[in-house]
Amino acid sequence: MWPFSGNALSKERRIFNYRLSRARRCVENAFGIMAARFRIFRKPITASVETCKAIVAATVCLHNFLKLADEAMPPLKRRYCPPGFSDTLSPNGDTILGLWRQKKCALKTVGCFGSNMHTKSAGQLRENFMEYFCSVGQLEWQDHHVLDAGRAY
């Protein structure tokens, strides 16, 4: 899903972009931790699509199991994801990058590709999420973050 583009966005569109950005960072963080911990992700996987799906599913299950087991330990005894290994948020909402980003892995930054065109159904889905984030799905802190003039989302 793509964020709304432009500089003069409505409050609702800025909220959508901010919430989408937070969700993407969460997913990036989880895959980054997995790539730093599982050697299979340290180079491109040369396997069939079906085998790749099985590898990803297995590592996601292992990641979730290890993360839960780790969280039962005191912070200084955690080995899978010790304090500072994953991205965190500062009290003012800024992202503090985790140590997993320093590990060598096959995750690469993806640049622009394709066009800015989307289907009507994709555009409608984005509008539906925007409406949800500004109504029943509203979070108490989101207005503060998007209305802070010093932030760009």
Side-chain angles (χ1 to χ4, degrees), residues 27-73:
V27 170
E28 179 184 75
N29 199 41
F31 275 100
I33 292 166
M34 288 173 30
R37 293 298 191 214
F38 297 106
R39 290 174 45 174
I40 189 82
F41 296 125
R42 293 189 184 156
K43 59 183 176 156
I45 301 172
T46 53
S48 70
V49 172
E50 292 305 315
T51 300
C52 287
K53 287 179 182 179
I55 290 168
V56 171
T59 55
V60 166
C61 289
L62 285 169
H63 167 79
N64 289 340
F65 175 78
L66 292 168
K67 191 92 167 80
L68 281 173
D70 220 23
E71 288 171 358
M73 303 291 289

Side-chain angles (χ1 to χ4, degrees), residues 5-152:
S5 61
N7 294 327
L9 296 176
S10 67
K11 174 185 164 190
E12 293 78 13
R13 287 184 171 199
R14 287 187 313 209
I15 287 171
F16 172 84
N17 284 357
Y18 176 68
R19 298 277 300 270
L20 180 64
S21 173
R22 283 182 58 102
R24 283 184 172 176
R25 283 193 311 255
C26 183
V27 170
E28 179 184 75
N29 199 41
F31 275 100
I33 292 166
M34 288 173 30
R37 293 298 191 214
F38 297 106
R39 290 174 45 174
I40 189 82
F41 296 125
R42 293 189 184 156
K43 59 183 176 156
I45 301 172
T46 53
S48 70
V49 172
E50 292 305 315
T51 300
C52 287
K53 287 179 182 179
I55 290 168
V56 171
T59 55
V60 166
C61 289
L62 285 169
H63 167 79
N64 289 340
F65 175 78
L66 292 168
K67 191 92 167 80
L68 281 173
D70 220 23
E71 288 171 358
M73 303 291 289
L76 296 177
K77 294 198 177 223
R78 293 179 183 166
R79 297 184 68 201
Y80 179 70
C81 194
F85 194 72
S86 63
D87 293 352
T88 56
L89 289 177
S90 70
N92 66 355
D94 294 328
T95 301
I96 300 168
L97 300 180
L99 296 174
W100 69 261
R101 294 175 180 276
Q102 298 172 4
K103 300 282 186 182
K104 184 179 185 289
C105 65
L107 291 180
K108 303 289 183 219
T109 301
V110 178
C112 292
F113 60 94
S115 68
N116 289 333
M117 303 298 290
H118 57 75
T119 64
K120 284 185 180 183
S121 62
Q124 185 58 52
L125 181 63
R126 184 170 67 171
E127 293 287 335
N128 291 347
F129 272 116
M130 181 185 70
E131 290 174 20
Y132 173 77
F133 293 154
C134 295
S135 59
V136 294
Q138 183 174 1
L139 300 174
E140 62 185 49
W141 44 260
Q142 69 187 26
D143 287 354
H144 168 74
H145 285 285
V146 300
L147 298 177
D148 183 353
R151 296 181 182 277

